[in-house]
Amino acid sequence: MAITYMTKEGYKKKMEEIAYLENVKRPEISRAIAEARDKGDLSENAEYDAAKEAQGMLEMKISQLKDLVANARILDESKLNCDEVQILNRVKIKNVSNGQTMEYTIVADSEANLREKKIASSTPIAQGLLGHKLGDVVDIKVPSGMMKFEIVEINL
């Protein structure tokens, strides 16, 4: 499993999700299996089959989350700066060809959320920006081809 970078807040959210799945969802599914089992013949019991399927999916999700946090590295936000683009920076970029500006915060893959303008550090745009400085013009390969972006602002 690859190392995942997370903020303290992101790590805390994943741990809360694991606790919820283990302490709330797991008992609910166990009750559903027991209720279905009490209804008799398991060979033709769709409720039982569905509950067992849900249990398998839940256990897989818990396992994946535990792997994610086990391999997580917490980012030390006190060491962040704006000298060059790095994870957790808010970056304003300008599309050189049409002048349109966009602003994104580069975050760990597990915390990406496009509605909040948080892009994963593994995306082509983030990869193209990381390590560059204010004023740099970078060529980034996007699905539609190569694009030039100028780094207009770097903030925390």
Side-chain angles (χ1 to χ4, degrees):
M1 181 109 191
I3 291 174
T4 303
Y5 294 95
M6 294 182 171
T7 59
K8 282 182 190 156
E9 179 186 330
Y11 183 82
K12 183 176 172 246
K13 282 182 182 175
K14 293 296 178 196
M15 294 303 287
E16 288 168 356
E17 185 177 359
I18 291 169
Y20 172 76
L21 293 175
E22 287 182 331
N23 300 323
V24 177
K25 297 306 281 182
R26 188 182 272 162
E28 284 176 6
I29 289 174
S30 292
R31 278 193 298 278
I33 290 171
E35 286 172 18
R37 195 179 313 121
D38 291 343
K39 292 183 179 171
D41 184 13
L42 297 181
S43 64
E44 293 183 21
N45 188 329
E47 283 180 53
Y48 179 79
D49 292 340
K52 287 300 278 184
E53 174 77 15
Q55 181 183 43
M57 298 295 283
L58 177 72
E59 293 305 323
M60 187 173 74
K61 173 96 172 146
I62 290 170
S63 176
Q64 288 171 339
L65 285 169
K66 284 185 170 186
D67 284 346
L68 183 73
V69 297
N71 293 295
R73 299 293 177 273
I74 308 299
L75 294 164
D76 184 350
E77 296 179 47
S78 69
K79 292 195 168 119
L80 296 177
N81 64 59
C82 298
D83 298 338
E84 63 182 35
V85 178
Q86 55 186 330
I87 197 163
L88 296 185
N89 279 146
R90 195 171 69 247
V91 183
K92 185 184 249 182
I93 55 175
K94 181 170 77 172
N95 182 325
V96 173
S97 65
N98 65 15
Q100 182 182 0
T101 61
M102 295 154 272
E103 197 166 326
Y104 298 111
T105 301
I106 299 173
V107 296
D109 292 10
S110 61
E111 298 178 42
N113 183 334
L114 208 49
R115 270 179 300 203
E116 295 175 10
K117 296 190 178 198
K118 294 179 177 179
I119 61 171
S121 59
S122 64
T123 61
I125 290 179
Q127 287 291 302
L129 296 172
L130 289 169
H132 288 279
K133 298 180 179 328
L134 187 65
D136 285 359
V137 175
V138 293
D139 290 314
I140 298 175
K141 185 170 176 31
V142 294
S144 60
M146 291 298 283
M147 296 183 78
K148 283 187 183 300
F149 292 101
E150 179 183 350
I151 300 172
V152 180
E153 249 177 64
I154 304 172
N155 297 300
L156 293 176

